[in-house]
Amino acid sequence: MTKRFVVICVIFFVAGTVLFPGCFSGGQPLVPSENSTKGLTEFGTSIAPSQGDWLITRLSAEMPHLNPITSTDAYSSLVLAWIFDGLLDRNPQTLELIPRVANRWEVSEDHLSYTFYLRNDVCFSDGHPLTAKDVKFTFDKLMDPTTDAPHLKNYYMDVESCEIIDDYTVRYHCKKPYYQHAVMLGLLEILPEHIYGQGDFNNHPNNRKPIGSGPYILSEWQTGLQLVLERNPNYWRKNEGQPYFDRIVYQIILDDNASFLKLRRGDLDYMAIRPEDWIRRGQSETFQKQFNMFIYPRPAYNYIGWNTRNPVLKEKTVRHALTMLLNRQQIIERLYYGMAEPIDSPFMPGTPEYHSEIKRWNYNPEEAKLLLDRSGWIDHNSDGIRDKDGRDLAFEIMTTNSNPIAEKILTVYQEDLKRAGINMQIRQMEWASLLERVDARNFDAVLMGWQMPPDPDPYQVWHSSQAEKGSNYVGFINEEADRLIEQARVSFDREERIRLYRRFQEIVNDEQPYTFLMAPKAIVAVDKRVHGIRVYPFGVYEKEWFVPTDLQRYVHAKEN
């Protein structure tokens, strides 16, 4: 369901941490697993969809707030996509732009003017009509210098203005071409001016009670427990395009074991599960009678980000050594049970942009030690920790406290570093607090992940302009990389962009501001009463899911 089109933060360590339903991220179709092909055939179109019932799933972390402009994490994105609309949408199979609030649009030959013609029957959940004024308000609020949205603003920096032509027509004027303008302008989720036009936008009271024009409203948010979405009574798509469930419930369950037990009891209808649970507990006859399994690649990867402002971590040689001291293959085999693919750059394997011939920094402790020796990082005082110029080779790495796999990865890594004379301390934090520290650049290193958008543009995460306030948390600054990113943004030739991106990846690979880890596969269990499930390029698409009338579980609960 989510239409997220920028790179967003996620706790992403196992194949069961976060679902990315309908995120449509990437350029090439994925090959479904045998199980997902079975699910597509069995539950695709053989039964007519039915309205009703609930869909109950899990959130593995609680988002700080819900605002389509200022929220930066994948958990917010999952929920917001049900509540807000954009001018356009994406076809889940082809990834092409299709009408939504705008029923048509025009692009000038010079790619500097974008005109959108809005439907006149769209209203927000409070009944207020959605007009061109709301579209302009959303854009203007995004670009307001006081709005805390650096992760988004960089995509719109070449858009000069949004002009209201009439009540249902807007025209964007751009000062330079950008190959993603149609996507960024079309998929920007629209806020109602009469709600968000008053008060402190960054800390708006409706960040806990969002108002949009999408198919659902947030009827309940119990902190630490659950978020409940119910049908929007004023939703404009009454006859086609309306999702089938009366209610969607996101239960906030931090612990993987607890969530798996709730799934097996039937308290959850679907969720992503860990490879360990799939191997050890998901193979039972009882489990397979209850659930359909879908296993597929997904457009996200995890990484360790090195804050290059740190005096210890600013040396490229140190970062090279740190990467060579991480045994990724062992982690993939032992913790992911082989259900992950190692990566070496910020593009997804299997896409044309990914540089498959790039240098791989393989696990090599002896070579890492030699690198550090040659760089002057030697244990001068015989305390077991390398030092240089009076500074120990020591740092702290942050991660979430809601996923035990993260701790296991870092514990294994910690032992390898210790044997090499490096002192690494692990700090586990609640998700919102971790994001706050990262946004403030108050960290040494962090284990996190990125969910990737279609036609990835590295600017948000890697351009030097985003280092102080933006998604370039690690402070990566390289003039040639900046030039390559900027050249790619104005090229409408994908082959040319690929050429530029491959050189860019070589630079990032040499600098190692990230130690790239792997892209885990999604392993999704869905209760067999749920039908309409297909695995599309880069995700499942909950909008099409339904429960046949005779299998609906929450009919009486709904009526009461």
Side-chain angles (χ1 to χ4, degrees):
M1 184 68 188
T2 176
K3 305 188 293 292
R4 187 59 63 188
F5 47 92
V6 300
V7 184
I8 51 180
C9 292
V10 59
I11 301 171
F12 191 67
F13 306 113
V14 299
T17 305
V18 174
L19 292 174
F20 304 110
C23 56
F24 318 143
S25 303
Q28 298 299 306
L30 299 180
V31 179
S33 70
E34 181 179 352
N35 283 336
S36 64
T37 303
K38 174 180 180 292
L40 191 154
T41 303
E42 185 174 348
F43 299 108
T45 56
S46 59
I47 299 175
S50 304
Q51 295 283 341
D53 210 1
W54 300 0
L55 184 69
I56 304 178
T57 187
R58 172 206 183 191
L59 278 180
S60 59
E62 187 168 11
M63 66 288 293
H65 66 276
L66 287 168
N67 183 307
I69 289 181
T70 59
S71 292
T72 62
D73 60 304
Y75 312 95
S76 300
S77 180
L78 293 174
V79 177
L80 289 167
W82 296 108
I83 300 172
F84 289 89
D85 279 325
L87 293 170
L88 306 179
D89 205 339
R90 281 192 183 273
N91 179 297
Q93 181 61 48
T94 66
L95 308 181
E96 294 176 351
L97 293 172
I98 56 176
R100 195 166 179 87
V101 169
N103 52 29
R104 64 187 179 94
W105 66 99
E106 297 171 354
V107 181
S108 63
E109 290 187 9
D110 60 5
H111 298 283
L112 296 178
S113 177
Y114 294 77
T115 306
F116 295 90
Y117 300 90
L118 281 62
R119 299 172 59 102
N120 60 9
D121 59 349
V122 180
C123 61
F124 294 103
S125 60
D126 62 355
H128 197 283
L130 187 159
T131 70
K133 288 180 58 179
D134 300 295
V135 178
K136 177 174 171 56
F137 165 77
T138 301
F139 173 76
D140 290 345
K141 181 55 66 175
L142 165 62
M143 301 309 292
D144 185 329
T146 66
T147 298
D148 186 17
H151 67 292
L152 267 182
K153 291 184 184 200
N154 69 92
Y155 292 98
Y156 299 88
M157 62 185 183
D158 294 321
V159 182
E160 289 186 307
S161 63
C162 178
E163 175 189 4
I164 296 177
I165 305 300
D166 58 42
D167 285 349
Y168 295 99
T169 309
V170 295
R171 180 171 296 140
Y172 286 97
H173 300 279
C174 307
K175 58 187 176 183
K176 78 165 58 168
Y178 173 37
Y179 80 98
Q180 289 253 64
H181 269 150
V183 172
M184 307 312 296
L185 297 171
L187 299 187
L188 182 63
E189 291 161 320
I190 304 165
L191 294 162
E193 181 181 20
H194 69 284
I195 297 292
Y196 293 90
Q198 307 294 324
D200 180 357
F201 184 77
N202 293 325
N203 300 288
H204 201 277
N206 285 90
N207 287 352
R208 293 282 299 189
K209 187 73 172 178
I211 302 294
S213 61
Y216 290 89
I217 60 172
L218 179 64
S219 63
E220 183 180 316
W221 185 348
Q222 293 179 276
T223 301
L225 294 176
Q226 66 178 10
L227 289 85
V228 179
L229 303 178
E230 295 186 350
R231 287 191 183 279
N232 174 4
N234 293 309
Y235 187 49
W236 54 279
R237 300 181 81 170
K238 298 296 184 184
N239 298 320
E240 76 175 87
Q242 184 176 30
Y244 299 105
F245 294 104
D246 291 329
R247 179 177 288 189
I248 299 171
V249 180
Y250 290 97
Q251 294 190 1
I252 301 166
I253 312 170
L254 304 186
D255 183 75
D256 287 326
N257 288 320
S259 61
F260 189 87
L261 291 174
K262 287 177 73 73
L263 177 74
R264 198 164 56 183
R265 287 200 307 265
D267 296 336
L268 297 175
D269 297 313
Y270 89 104
M271 71 174 212
I273 64 175
R274 299 179 300 179
E276 179 180 4
D277 288 331
W278 166 236
I279 296 297
R280 297 184 178 182
R281 300 196 277 186
Q283 304 293 323
S284 70
E285 183 178 351
T286 301
F287 188 86
Q288 296 199 17
K289 281 183 178 180
Q290 186 178 357
F291 298 100
N292 283 303
M293 297 299 302
F294 301 85
I295 303 173
Y296 51 90
R298 56 184 172 184
Y301 66 86
N302 50 30
Y303 65 92
I304 295 174
W306 308 110
N307 191 338
T308 59
R309 305 166 186 85
N310 183 299
V312 171
L313 301 171
K314 70 179 182 181
E315 291 190 29
K316 179 169 65 175
T317 302
V318 170
R319 299 194 298 270
H320 289 173
L322 291 171
T323 297
M324 287 192 290
L325 287 165
L326 182 71
N327 194 339
R328 289 187 299 175
Q329 198 57 44
Q330 181 187 68
I331 291 169
I332 290 173
E333 292 171 1
R334 295 186 181 180
L335 299 183
Y336 291 83
Y337 294 82
M339 296 184 187
E341 182 174 358
I343 64 166
D344 300 284
S345 82
F347 289 86
M348 297 309 301
T351 63
E353 287 79 8
Y354 185 71
H355 194 337
S356 59
E357 297 177 0
I358 205 166
K359 173 183 172 63
R360 172 158 289 181
W361 295 91
N362 291 316
Y363 179 63
N364 192 333
E366 296 309 313
E367 178 63 24
K369 293 174 186 176
L370 288 174
L371 274 179
L372 293 172
D373 289 343
R374 290 196 292 265
S375 299
W377 288 98
I378 301 170
D379 184 7
H380 294 90
N381 56 10
S382 301
D383 65 351
I385 305 299
R386 293 174 182 267
D387 59 273
K388 180 179 178 180
D389 300 329
R391 190 184 301 274
D392 284 347
L393 186 43
F395 58 89
E396 177 186 84
I397 188 164
M398 301 190 313
T399 189
T400 173
N401 61 5
S402 64
N403 197 309
I405 298 299
E407 183 181 9
K408 290 180 181 179
I409 290 173
L410 293 181
T411 300
V412 171
Y413 189 32
Q414 187 180 49
E415 290 302 312
D416 277 325
L417 292 177
K418 183 178 180 180
R419 285 190 288 269
I422 301 171
N423 181 17
M424 182 189 83
Q425 298 299 315
I426 303 170
R427 179 185 289 268
Q428 294 180 284
M429 304 179 68
E430 186 266 335
W431 175 240
S433 299
L434 186 149
L435 283 182
E436 185 177 338
R437 286 276 300 272
V438 169
D439 285 338
R441 279 48 174 169
N442 183 18
F443 71 99
D444 297 333
V446 63
L447 174 55
M448 285 202 311
W450 287 120
Q451 175 184 339
M452 300 298 290
D455 301 320
D457 175 4
Y459 194 101
Q460 176 190 338
V461 177
W462 298 104
H463 196 273
S464 62
S465 65
Q466 306 302 299
E468 293 308 312
K469 190 171 179 58
S471 298
N472 186 355
Y473 309 121
V474 298
F476 171 74
I477 297 176
N478 183 283
E479 291 185 6
E480 183 184 359
D482 281 355
R483 287 196 302 272
L484 293 166
I485 293 170
E486 292 163 7
Q487 291 170 21
R489 284 171 72 98
V490 298
S491 174
F492 290 80
D493 181 342
R494 188 177 188 183
E495 292 303 316
E496 172 67 9
R497 294 199 303 273
I498 289 171
R499 184 186 66 79
L500 295 168
Y501 287 154
R502 290 189 175 177
R503 172 58 190 148
F504 162 75
Q505 289 171 77
E506 291 170 358
I507 296 170
V508 173
N509 181 267
D510 178 61
E511 292 289 336
Q512 286 292 292
Y514 283 7
T515 290
F516 294 95
L517 301 180
M518 63 281 298
K521 291 183 179 180
I523 307 174
V524 181
V526 188
D527 191 293
K528 285 194 173 182
R529 80 181 208 287
V530 180
H531 288 238
I533 303 168
R534 295 174 172 86
V535 177
Y536 286 110
F538 301 90
V540 291
Y541 192 42
E542 292 165 314
K543 177 183 172 183
E544 299 176 333
W545 295 12
F546 67 95
V547 177
T549 303
D550 59 338
L551 297 178
Q552 292 186 6
R553 181 179 294 166
Y554 299 101
V555 176
H556 299 297
K558 176 189 67 174
E559 292 175 351
N560 292 334

